[in-house]
């Protein structure tokens, strides 16, 4: 029994050693054929290039307003502002707690509504600048647009809850909180 265990461990050790040697050859591609190696290089280049894809800029002669808005939403300053607002929105969502004073709760609700309006404004500006086809061809824009729709749903749920009377619908408040937490997913962009 001990001999079989020893031989088994030796066999596994040799296989692992051979695997590590093959992995170390040619940058981890020692077991690939030349065609496979070239295919991996092309796929890597495609992945790196895809990250640089941008929507086409509208013609300044034909659409001067769209071209101007395009330049604004594609600028580094705008991206930094959106990142800062995303962090501030996440921080605001993070300080909400059960049993907070009504004035604080109301301020938080209206601040969240302001953020929803800002996200809707960002989506509208990009939609105007890029055009619907180009805007929705990017996954992040689809994601942002779905979060804007979730924000509109949150405002609608808040309004319904308010119309029904304060505290009359705990299930609506819970759904509203879930929709609110979905906006935290914007942090994935950072």
């Amino acid at each position: 029994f001990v001999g079989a265990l020893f031989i088994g461990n030796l066999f596994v050790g040799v296989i692992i050693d051979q695997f590590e040697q093959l992995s170390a050859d040619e940058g981890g591609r020692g077991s690939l054929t030349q065609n496979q190696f070239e295919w991996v290089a092309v796929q890597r280049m495609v992945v790196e290039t895809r990250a640089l894809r941008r929507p086409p800029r509208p013609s300044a002669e034909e659409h001067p307003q769209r071209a101007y808005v395009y330049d604004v939403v594609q600028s580094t300053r705008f991206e930094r502002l959106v990142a800062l607002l995303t962090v501030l929105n996440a921080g605001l969502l993070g300080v909400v707690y059960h049993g907070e004073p009504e004035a604080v709760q109301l301020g938080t609700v209206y601040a969240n509504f302001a953020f929803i309006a800002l996200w809707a404004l960002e989506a509208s500006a990009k939609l105007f600048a890029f055009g619907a086809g180009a805007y929705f061809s990017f996954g992040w824009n689809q994601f942002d647009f779905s979060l804007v729709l979730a924000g509109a749903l949150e405002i609608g749920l808040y309004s319904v809850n308010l119309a029904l009377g304060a505290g009359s619908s705990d299930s609506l408040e819970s759904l509203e909180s879930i929709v609110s937490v979905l906006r935290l997913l914007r942090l994935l962009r950072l």
Side-chain angles (χ1 to χ4, degrees):
F1 176 73
V2 174
L5 186 63
F6 177 73
I7 296 295
N9 281 340
L10 186 62
F11 181 73
V12 169
V14 168
I15 289 177
I16 290 174
D17 187 49
Q18 286 297 316
F19 177 78
E20 286 177 1
Q21 284 180 356
L22 284 174
S23 295
D25 292 344
E26 296 182 38
R29 294 179 185 83
S31 61
L32 298 179
T33 66
Q34 184 60 31
N35 285 340
Q36 290 171 331
F37 186 77
E38 289 172 6
W39 184 85
V40 168
V42 168
Q43 293 302 313
R44 181 168 282 145
M45 188 170 43
V46 166
V47 168
E48 290 170 359
T49 303
R50 188 176 300 152
L52 301 176
R53 191 177 75 120
R54 298 186 136 213
R57 185 179 188 275
S59 168
E61 291 80 36
E62 295 177 27
H63 307 286
Q65 294 88 4
R66 284 184 62 201
Y68 175 75
V69 173
Y70 179 91
D71 292 339
V72 169
V73 298
Q74 290 293 93
S75 70
T76 304
R77 283 180 130 171
F78 184 80
E79 289 299 320
R80 287 181 182 161
L81 176 64
V82 168
L84 175 68
L85 290 173
T86 301
V87 170
L88 290 174
N89 188 202
L92 180 68
L93 291 172
V95 298
V96 173
Y97 61 94
H98 184 70
E100 64 188 358
E102 189 173 331
V104 173
Q105 184 180 17
L106 196 58
T108 303
V109 166
Y110 288 129
N112 276 325
F113 289 173
F115 278 113
I116 292 169
L118 288 171
W119 303 140
L121 184 64
E122 176 204 11
S124 299
K126 286 184 175 181
L127 194 55
F128 175 72
F130 302 160
Y135 178 82
F136 287 110
S137 71
F138 290 87
W140 278 119
N141 290 339
Q142 294 171 7
F143 177 69
D144 283 346
F145 193 78
S146 66
L147 291 179
V148 167
L149 292 178
L153 176 65
E154 181 182 352
I155 291 173
L157 290 172
Y158 180 80
S159 299
V160 167
N161 196 24
L162 200 59
L164 292 175
S168 65
S169 178
D170 288 336
S171 61
L172 279 180
E173 285 183 13
S174 298
L175 186 58
E176 184 184 330
S177 297
I178 291 169
V179 171
S180 174
V181 169
L182 285 176
R183 288 201 325 260
L184 288 174
L185 295 174
R186 280 188 73 91
L187 287 172
L188 295 175
R189 279 191 80 165
L190 303 180

